Amino acid sequence: MGHRMFVAVVPPDEVREELERFLEPRPGLSWTNPAQWHLTLTFCPDVDDWRLDELTERVEAVARKHEPFTLRLAGAGAFPSVERAKVLWAGVDQPEDRPLHALAAGVRSAANAAGCAPDGARFRPHLTLARLSGRDDATAWLRVLDTFTCSRWESPRSRSSTRSSARGRGDGLATRSWPGCRWARASDAGGTRPGAERTGPATATVWRVELIGTVDPAHPLVVVALEQEARHFVTDFPVLVTGVGKVRAAVAVAHALGGGARPRELVNVGTAGGLHPGMEGTHEIATVFQHDFDDPALHAVTGRHDGPPLALSALRAVTPEHAAASSGPGGSAAPVLATGDSFVAGGPVRDRLAGIADLVDMEGYAVAAAGAMLGVPTRLVKHVSDAADESAGTTWVEGVDACARILAQWVGTRLG
């Protein structure tokens, strides 16, 4: 029996440190060892010692042929599904021509030519972050992980084929390296098969932007962050699934509408945390602001309002306009929504927001800002899923399906 081995791209130290800092204050899961973080290009389950030199030479040749390219960790997902997660992972953002896929294909061909028989799993670039029992719904964790952003890094500029030891920070991961990739024994990286989580058809991801249907001026465009919030929709209206956070929501709307037909109105429906006991059920937002963007301070420096509060209507779709800073909650008659890129779950942030808002979410402002810029009437409709307190993650996971049914009913009965 030979070695179980894989060829992988290893993020540089600074990227791993950024990810470590992001995960460190988030207990609750057993995160994988940072020294073992890598992006598997191909896995070979049975490699004889006498084939290693040829494997080395062939992978070196592949690495020399590829021009440098940039990568960035972005997005999150779960295998085999969000609802029964066994693995949580970080995704990869790469150029449109997908050079990482090309490199993986080349490495796989090299392994085949060296007689190392790589497995048949389809290449899905990802970095494994945690392993679960398979009995857990990982939606709350994915909402958190999807907010992570890190520096871009470039594949090594060196075209050298010199073999080198891959010790130091990556101790225990790789035994040889080439420009852009490394190979390692699977037993050196924790004893489990790298990339095993790639198998099976039920792969789930929350960072894909998806437009279902066609945008046209006669109908609204319904915008949701997660497909879980739209799973019970029965409608002929187009639906845009943006992913979590302000940037993803704004980019998704701009991409869906840029240069093409505009919808009758934008309707962002989704879940939100309630900041007051009376804020339950479904609410149309009257005012939305960014709770993690200091517009007054920036205005004092630049003389510009680059992220002011936006006035909407709790009764109908209107083109969002600049509004005065929130002076306090508006209650159920004129709800105030605070949008930010952090998942609010108690603590000082919640205490502060309770004095100036009624609800909190992660995408509403971005959709409204896109509507304002494009001149499209917009409405924000939020159903309270949790109290934005310490139990918000668990409460959201347990209640999101019931919330989705209520939101589907609202869309089916209130949008004509």
Side-chain angles (χ1 to χ4, degrees), residues 67 133 143 150 155 200 227 256 290 341 399:
E67 294 297 321
S133 67
R143 288 177 71 95
C150 73
S155 65
E227 57 190 32
Q290 301 179 84
D341 281 322

Side-chain angles (χ1 to χ4, degrees), residues 14-96:
E14 57 269 24
V15 171
R16 286 185 284 176
E17 288 167 359
E18 289 178 45
L19 182 54
E20 273 191 272
R21 288 194 296 269
F22 179 81
L23 297 178
E24 184 178 7
R26 293 172 167 83
L29 289 180
S30 179
W31 303 113
T32 53
N33 185 346
Q36 297 171 4
W37 286 341
H38 61 277
L39 306 171
T40 300
L41 297 175
T42 194
F43 171 71
C44 302
D46 187 6
V47 179
D48 295 322
D49 282 330
W50 60 271
R51 295 188 184 274
L52 295 182
D53 285 341
E54 185 177 358
L55 174 63
T56 299
E57 293 171 1
R58 290 185 179 278
V59 173
E60 284 176 346
V62 169
R64 285 195 299 269
K65 291 179 181 178
H66 284 262
E67 294 297 321
F69 55 88
T70 59
L71 297 173
R72 182 173 66 91
L73 298 178
F79 295 120
S81 69
V82 173
E83 292 79 9
R84 300 184 64 84
K86 291 185 177 180
V87 172
L88 298 185
W89 48 263
V92 182
D93 179 25
Q94 60 177 316
E96 288 186 2

Side-chain angles (χ1 to χ4, degrees), residues 221-267:
L221 173 61
V222 181
V223 181
V224 299
L226 295 169
E227 57 190 32
Q228 290 96 321
E229 296 171 320
R231 62 173 48 150
H232 297 296
F233 283 6
V234 179
T235 178
D236 293 329
F237 303 146
V239 177
L240 177 66
V241 183
T242 68
V244 175
K246 292 185 295 182
V247 171
R248 294 182 186 281
V251 170
V253 173
H255 180 73
L257 303 187
R262 300 290 167 82
R264 186 185 74 199
E265 60 190 88
L266 285 172
V267 185

Side-chain angles (χ1 to χ4, degrees), residues 102-306:
L103 178 60
V107 167
R108 181 181 178 82
S109 295
N112 262 321
C116 296
D119 75 352
R122 183 161 62 97
F123 178 60
R124 295 181 183 274
H126 66 279
L127 187 151
T128 298
L129 297 174
R131 299 183 185 277
L132 295 81
S133 67
R135 298 186 297 272
D136 303 303
D137 188 308
T139 303
W141 277 112
L142 295 187
R143 288 177 71 95
V144 173
L145 294 174
D146 203 45
T147 65
F148 173 70
T149 58
C150 73
S151 305
R152 288 188 176 275
W153 78 88
E154 188 175 67
S155 65
R157 293 181 180 275
S158 170
R159 315 312 289 171
S160 167
S161 62
T162 303
R163 301 178 191 176
S164 62
S165 171
R167 297 296 174 183
R169 177 69 187 278
D171 228 2
L173 174 63
T175 56
R176 298 186 184 181
S177 65
W178 307 273
C181 52
R182 298 178 180 176
W183 65 250
R185 291 182 177 87
S187 57
D188 290 339
T192 57
R193 171 190 167 190
E197 60 270 18
R198 293 186 284 122
T199 61
T203 301
T205 174
V206 298
W207 51 268
R208 181 183 69 253
V209 174
E210 183 176 9
L211 176 61
I212 304 167
T214 303
V215 177
D216 71 86
H219 298 101
L221 173 61
V222 181
V223 181
V224 299
L226 295 169
E227 57 190 32
Q228 290 96 321
E229 296 171 320
R231 62 173 48 150
H232 297 296
F233 283 6
V234 179
T235 178
D236 293 329
F237 303 146
V239 177
L240 177 66
V241 183
T242 68
V244 175
K246 292 185 295 182
V247 171
R248 294 182 186 281
V251 170
V253 173
H255 180 73
L257 303 187
R262 300 290 167 82
R264 186 185 74 199
E265 60 190 88
L266 285 172
V267 185
N268 173 216
V269 301
T271 55
L275 298 171
H276 304 287
M279 295 305 296
E280 300 173 347
T282 305
H283 303 272
E284 289 201 51
I285 304 304
T287 304
V288 60
F289 69 93
Q290 301 179 84
H291 67 76
D292 54 2
F293 185 89
D294 196 341
D295 183 67
L298 291 172
H299 177 259
V301 174
T302 66
R304 298 171 36 161
H305 286 290
D306 286 316

